[in-house]
Amino acid sequence: MKPEIIVALDFSDFDNAKNIVETLDKEITFYKIGLEAYLSIGEKLIDYLVSKNKKVFLDLKFHDIPNTVKKASLAAAKKGVFMFNLHIQGGYDMMRDTVDAVKSINSDVLIIGVTLLTSLDENYLNQYSINFSSSADYVLHLATIGKDAGLDGVVSSAKETPLIKKHLGKEFITVTPGIRLASNNIDDQKRVVTPKDAKKMGTDFMVIGRPVTQSQDPKNTVKLIKEELNG
């Protein structure tokens, strides 16, 4: 079923993260580990999820000189993660070197490029004098470079997904953060959509954090999301 749901485990306490995984049980296979969780409980949490046959999206957004990112990415691949990401703005050589190195030891690991964070919009382009009239055009530009460098897909807003799929092909994966249920507030996100919107726009994976993990009944919330996707 597309899109697959990735639940963001944004916790600094291992037991809190473990409780969510146990509560959701067979409803969820994919989990995201971001900066907060990685720096607090990263190794333990990755090992736990892998032992439970869960698939880990390591969301650390690598952005550094090519050799540093390549070595960090090899370390991620060796930990058994299913998918990790890096910043496309780190440059073509950084991406190409990383793809070549990682795929040579594990061709199944998905390497995803971060285009424009979902907390940013046209104001950011103006402030940084980036010469694109819309965030969608800029995202497509970055995604095109990422595909040329061998990436499997990109992180982007679902609003840009149809554009990316149209120009870069349906096989080029899109991972969509900033998903909110119709009843949620949008917190610190600017470019957000509902699960139903994300499905219509053709995204492959959607990342959902607070709407599930801070819900009174996380398992029921996931079931409601699946009902929305199927209905």
Side-chain angles (χ1 to χ4, degrees):
M1 180 186 76
K2 279 190 181 179
E4 291 277 8
I5 300 168
I6 301 176
V7 170
L9 294 174
D10 295 325
F11 296 103
S12 57
D13 181 86
F14 178 77
D15 288 337
N16 288 343
K18 184 181 175 187
N19 286 343
I20 286 289
V21 176
E22 288 181 349
T23 298
L24 295 176
D25 195 26
K26 292 177 182 165
E27 291 292 334
I28 294 291
T29 300
F30 299 88
Y31 288 93
K32 178 179 88 83
I33 297 177
L35 288 166
E36 178 191 7
Y38 186 77
L39 288 167
S40 308
I41 51 173
E43 296 280 312
K44 190 176 179 182
L45 187 53
I46 291 172
D47 291 344
Y48 166 72
L49 289 168
V50 170
S51 77
K52 291 285 182 185
N53 293 317
K54 303 299 184 184
K55 296 192 174 181
V56 177
F57 167 31
L58 189 63
D59 179 27
L60 300 183
K61 303 180 178 72
F62 298 141
H63 188 169
D64 212 311
I65 63 171
N67 192 51
T68 300
V69 170
K70 178 179 76 175
K71 287 183 173 176
S73 299
L74 284 167
K78 287 171 185 171
K79 286 298 291 179
V81 306
F82 155 78
M83 177 164 71
F84 71 90
N85 58 10
L86 45 75
H87 267 286
I88 291 175
Q89 287 156 320
Y92 180 90
D93 289 348
M94 183 198 83
M95 293 185 282
R96 187 74 253 174
D97 290 357
T98 297
V99 169
D100 289 345
V102 170
K103 297 289 186 177
S104 73
I105 67 160
N106 185 345
S107 59
D108 293 331
V109 178
L110 296 178
I111 307 173
I112 304 295
V114 177
T115 52
L116 186 65
L117 299 173
T118 51
S119 56
L120 302 175
D121 55 17
E122 278 75 13
N123 293 325
Y124 167 84
L125 302 184
N126 294 332
Q127 188 177 22
Y128 281 76
S129 300
I130 295 170
N131 194 22
F132 284 85
S133 58
S134 73
S135 54
D137 288 343
Y138 184 51
V139 165
L140 179 60
H141 171 69
L142 292 173
T144 303
I145 297 170
K147 187 179 183 189
D148 289 346
L151 298 186
D152 295 296
V154 290
V155 180
S156 66
S157 164
K159 293 177 182 178
E160 286 115 30
T161 298
L163 192 66
I164 289 165
K165 295 287 188 183
K166 179 183 172 186
H167 289 274
L168 301 180
K170 285 193 164 46
E171 299 306 307
F172 195 61
I173 294 164
T174 52
V175 180
T176 303
I179 301 288
R180 289 293 180 269
L181 310 190
S183 58
N184 293 140
N185 72 48
I186 65 169
D187 297 307
D188 52 358
Q189 306 278 13
K190 289 198 174 122
R191 288 158 35 245
V192 302
V193 292
T194 66
K196 199 171 182 180
D197 294 332
K199 182 177 182 178
K200 266 190 225 160
M201 291 165 178
T203 201
D204 299 288
F205 295 93
M206 55 184 189
V207 179
I208 308 181
R210 288 168 278 196
V212 170
T213 59
Q214 294 181 13
S215 159
Q216 295 290 321
D217 186 345
K219 195 170 191 177
N220 188 54
T221 299
V222 167
K223 286 180 175 174
L224 289 173
I225 292 167
K226 288 182 176 180
E227 280 173 22
E228 184 181 321
L229 290 172
N230 292 326

